[in-house]
């Protein structure tokens, strides 16, 4: 396992650098400097993150342009005319019905709070310690607490309670929470330690993890994400999800 750690650490260093940003959905929030704009654009980019990365990035940019490249202001102060410009937006199964609900949620949330962090965590770490599992379950309930939730929209926000791997939400948390000096992840949220994050696991990451003997579970679900995270803690207990850079990129860029 020591040789595997050396190899994966090398790959983390190779990919966890600014040159990684342009080809990844994390490039969407990197187009902003205001906290709330980073949060909203990053959330959409993460939710859109299935399928071809170029398409994901292009759809993220398209939506930000429709929001006048000021998503926080748009969500809080849009007019009916502004919303009409969104009526033809679509990304795979994410359509206008879903988008309008997301915007309604952001308008409601940001009218009360300065940061989306409060939707996941109510207090700052370490005063009220959280688990990501409870945070994601709480967020799912909170996100769908508005009146008249479209049934179809619920499939876009996963929950550990349904045994989903929650890949996209875990990736979003990685962006918001991880703190290093490499410029990819933002490290803006302080309510939870990077040590407590859960690996974003999709089919690519699971395949590579199985190749290296880091994952035995056949289903790509919440238990698989937790098991893989525990394995990676043996390599770095303070920052296990940094290996997302290695496992994901090995699967996508190097066809492991």
């Amino acid at each position: 396992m020591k040789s595997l750690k050396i190899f994966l650490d090398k790959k983390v260093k190779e990919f966890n650098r600014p040159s990684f940003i342009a080809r990844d959905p994390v490039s969407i929030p990197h187009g902003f400097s205001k906290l709330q704009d980073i949060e909203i654009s990053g959330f959409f980019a993460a939710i859109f993150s299935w399928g071809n990365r170029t398409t994901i990035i292009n759809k993220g940019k398209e939506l930000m342009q429709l929001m006048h490249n000021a998503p926080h202001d748009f969500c809080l102060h849009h007019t009916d005319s502004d919303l009409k410009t969104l009526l033809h937006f679509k990304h795979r199964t994410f359509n206008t019905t879903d988008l309008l609900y997301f915007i309604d949620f952001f308008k409601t949330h940001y009218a009360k709070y300065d940061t989306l962090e409060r939707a996941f965590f109510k207090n700052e770490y370490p005063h009220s310690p959280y688990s990501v599992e409870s945070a994601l379950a709480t967020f799912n309930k909170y996100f769908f607490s508005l009146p008249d939730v479209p049934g179809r929209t619920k499939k876009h926000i996963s929950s550990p309670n349904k045994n989903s791997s929650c890949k996209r939400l875990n990736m979003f948390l990685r962006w918001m929470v991880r703190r290093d000096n490499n410029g990819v992840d933002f490290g803006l949220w302080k309510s939870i330690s990077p040590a407590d994050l859960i690996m974003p696991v999709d089919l690519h990451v699971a395949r590579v993890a199985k190749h290296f003997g880091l994952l035995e579970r056949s289903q790509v679900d919440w238990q698989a994400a937790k098991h893989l995270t525990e394995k990676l803690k043996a390599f770095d207990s303070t920052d296990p999800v940094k290996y997302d850079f290695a496992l994901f990129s090995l699967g996508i860029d190097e066809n492991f």
Side-chain angles (χ1 to χ4, degrees):
M1 293 298 280
K2 183 177 179 180
S3 60
L4 177 57
K5 172 177 165 51
I6 292 171
F7 173 72
L8 292 180
D9 284 341
K10 178 183 176 183
K11 288 299 178 181
V12 170
K13 290 180 181 178
E14 183 178 334
F15 292 110
N16 184 19
R17 57 178 64 185
S19 58
F20 176 87
I21 294 171
R23 298 184 300 113
D24 190 81
V26 77
S27 61
I28 301 302
H30 271 287
F32 300 93
S33 57
K34 179 181 171 182
L35 169 64
Q36 295 85 357
D37 287 340
I38 292 171
E39 292 174 340
I40 295 171
S41 64
F43 191 82
F44 276 116
I47 295 302
F48 292 170
S49 289
W50 79 100
N52 180 274
R53 278 196 289 175
T54 300
T55 301
I56 295 164
I57 293 167
N58 287 340
K59 296 306 288 190
K61 289 180 178 177
E62 177 186 341
L63 179 57
M64 293 304 103
Q65 290 170 357
L66 290 171
M67 291 182 167
H68 316 307
N69 287 310
H72 180 239
D73 184 71
F74 184 96
C75 288
L76 282 179
H77 305 299
H78 59 265
T79 64
D80 289 343
S81 178
D82 291 326
L83 293 179
K84 286 181 181 178
T85 66
L86 306 177
L87 293 182
H88 299 292
F89 182 84
K90 187 175 192 263
H91 172 58
R92 295 175 70 98
T93 65
F94 187 95
N95 69 12
T96 304
T97 298
D98 308 314
L99 177 56
L100 294 179
Y101 183 84
F102 274 49
I103 290 171
D104 195 18
F105 167 79
F106 285 130
K107 180 177 182 179
T108 302
H109 176 78
Y110 282 107
K112 298 178 183 177
Y113 302 100
D114 291 333
T115 171
L116 190 59
E117 185 174 10
R118 298 283 81 82
F120 292 85
F121 313 103
K122 294 301 181 185
N123 299 293
E124 287 195 3
Y125 176 90
H127 304 294
S128 297
Y130 299 97
S131 73
V132 166
E133 184 168 355
S134 64
L136 292 182
T138 297
F139 174 74
N140 183 279
K141 183 177 180 180
Y142 174 59
F143 189 87
F144 293 116
S145 62
L146 302 184
D148 302 320
V149 179
R152 56 158 291 114
T153 304
K154 292 185 177 181
K155 67 175 179 279
H156 294 296
I157 303 295
S158 54
S159 172
N161 287 346
K162 298 180 180 179
N163 205 25
S164 168
S165 72
C166 299
K167 178 256 183 176
R168 290 173 285 171
L169 290 176
N170 281 324
M171 183 176 69
F172 176 68
L173 289 180
R174 194 204 88 199
W175 294 350
M176 295 296 106
V177 173
R178 275 197 76 249
R179 298 182 283 279
D180 58 26
N181 296 314
N182 295 319
V184 181
D185 295 329
F186 292 91
L188 296 170
W189 291 2
K190 312 300 183 185
S191 297
I192 195 167
S193 166
D196 296 322
L197 292 173
I198 299 293
M199 269 288 293
V201 179
D202 60 8
L203 290 173
H204 300 292
V205 169
R207 184 180 72 248
V208 177
K210 289 173 185 176
H211 173 84
F212 289 122
L214 294 170
L215 185 64
E216 297 178 357
R217 191 173 178 82
S218 58
Q219 301 99 316
V220 181
D221 57 12
W222 184 252
Q223 295 304 316
K226 289 205 301 182
H227 290 169
L228 178 55
T229 304
E230 287 302 312
K231 286 280 191 176
L232 294 171
K233 283 184 177 181
F235 295 158
D236 189 337
S237 61
T238 65
D239 190 15
V241 302
K242 75 180 185 184
Y243 292 105
D244 187 28
F245 288 102
L247 297 181
F248 175 79
S249 297
L250 285 168
I252 294 292
D253 296 331
E254 301 190 21
N255 297 316
F256 263 70

